Amino acid sequence: MTTYNGPDAEPIENGYFYAISMFLVASIRTFVFQQVIKIGYNTQFRIRMSFMTAIYRKTLVLSNDSRKEYSMGEIVSHMSSDSSRVATFIGGNLYQIWSIPLRITLALYMLYNTIGWSVFVGIGFTLIGIPLSSGFRKHLRELNKLIFEHRDDRIKIITEVLNGIKIIKLYAWEIPFIKKISYIRNVLELGAVRDYGIYQSIT
């Protein structure tokens, strides 16, 4: 402000130049970021479809011994949930392996040029908080694993119900199976999802 109000004030043209430059940079950033998202979604879709096709073809040639080891619920879970997780990581998060260190380096460089050695105080507090954050991340991984275990159990029971629907209707076992599936879904799975959301909001 003193630069523009003092006797050695810069011309107003510089202000227009800075404003237009900021607008152009923000517009280009938005355009490029949207293209990255579009390419990422296309990559995720192709990877997911490739995994689902490969798993489906593998199930068609499974031996009887292999079918005893893997239930239909586990196979369906691999085709839906697991393939989506792998596709999301590769198509949506893999680029962050190189982009995050680059962004951190550029941010620290600009902060150092702006505030000097004080930036290292912030880095120190960040390093101190890493162990605490690591503990939360570890618990998040455990909760995520628990969510998929409950989801696999639910899909397994639903698949068994669909395969044996005639017997279930014959013996009137609908209510017990509905209660069992609802318990896994509403109490176990959604409870783990709720805890995961709480811990994720903290971190």
Side-chain angles (χ1 to χ4, degrees), residues 28-83:
I28 294 173
R29 177 187 177 276
T30 302
F31 175 77
V32 173
F33 187 69
Q34 292 301 320
Q35 294 301 312
V36 171
I37 293 177
K38 178 179 179 295
I39 295 172
Y41 278 140
N42 290 338
T43 305
Q44 289 181 38
F45 179 77
R46 292 177 180 177
I47 294 174
R48 183 170 180 266
M49 292 299 103
S50 299
F51 273 105
M52 292 179 65
T53 303
I55 295 172
Y56 179 74
R57 290 178 177 176
K58 183 65 176 179
T59 56
L60 295 179
V61 296
L62 282 177
S63 62
N64 293 329
D65 295 335
S66 299
R67 293 183 184 277
K68 293 178 182 179
E69 296 179 5
Y70 301 97
S71 64
M72 185 59 65
E74 292 175 339
I75 295 174
V76 173
S77 178
H78 287 320
M79 293 180 62
S80 58
S81 302
D82 296 340
S83 60

Side-chain angles (χ1 to χ4, degrees), residues 29-193:
R29 177 187 177 276
T30 302
F31 175 77
V32 173
F33 187 69
Q34 292 301 320
Q35 294 301 312
V36 171
I37 293 177
K38 178 179 179 295
I39 295 172
Y41 278 140
N42 290 338
T43 305
Q44 289 181 38
F45 179 77
R46 292 177 180 177
I47 294 174
R48 183 170 180 266
M49 292 299 103
S50 299
F51 273 105
M52 292 179 65
T53 303
I55 295 172
Y56 179 74
R57 290 178 177 176
K58 183 65 176 179
T59 56
L60 295 179
V61 296
L62 282 177
S63 62
N64 293 329
D65 295 335
S66 299
R67 293 183 184 277
K68 293 178 182 179
E69 296 179 5
Y70 301 97
S71 64
M72 185 59 65
E74 292 175 339
I75 295 174
V76 173
S77 178
H78 287 320
M79 293 180 62
S80 58
S81 302
D82 296 340
S83 60
S84 298
R85 293 173 63 188
V86 175
T88 301
F89 173 76
I90 297 176
N93 300 323
L94 190 62
Y95 73 95
Q96 295 183 3
I97 295 177
W98 62 267
S99 65
I100 289 178
L102 178 61
R103 284 183 286 178
I104 292 175
T105 303
L106 292 175
L108 292 177
Y109 174 75
M110 290 186 289
L111 284 174
Y112 178 76
N113 290 334
T114 303
I115 62 178
W117 291 97
S118 301
V119 68
F120 293 103
V121 178
I123 295 176
F125 280 105
T126 302
L127 295 176
I128 293 174
I130 287 178
L132 181 61
S133 178
S134 300
F136 280 111
R137 291 293 179 184
K138 181 179 179 182
H139 193 66
L140 281 175
R141 288 193 296 269
E142 294 175 354
L143 286 174
N144 193 29
K145 182 179 178 181
L146 187 62
I147 291 172
F148 281 96
E149 288 178 356
H150 292 322
R151 187 171 298 170
D152 291 343
D153 293 338
R154 176 171 56 86
I155 295 175
K156 180 180 179 181
I157 295 176
I158 292 175
T159 304
E160 292 176 354
V161 169
L162 294 176
N163 291 334
I165 190 65
K166 291 182 179 180
I167 298 176
I168 293 174
K169 296 293 291 184
L170 178 63
Y171 290 98
W173 288 344
E174 299 96 330
I175 302 301
F177 275 97
I178 291 175
K179 290 182 179 179
K180 188 173 183 179
I181 295 173
S182 300
Y183 174 76
I184 295 176
R185 170 64 178 168
N186 299 328
V187 178
L188 299 181
E189 185 179 351
L190 292 184
V193 171

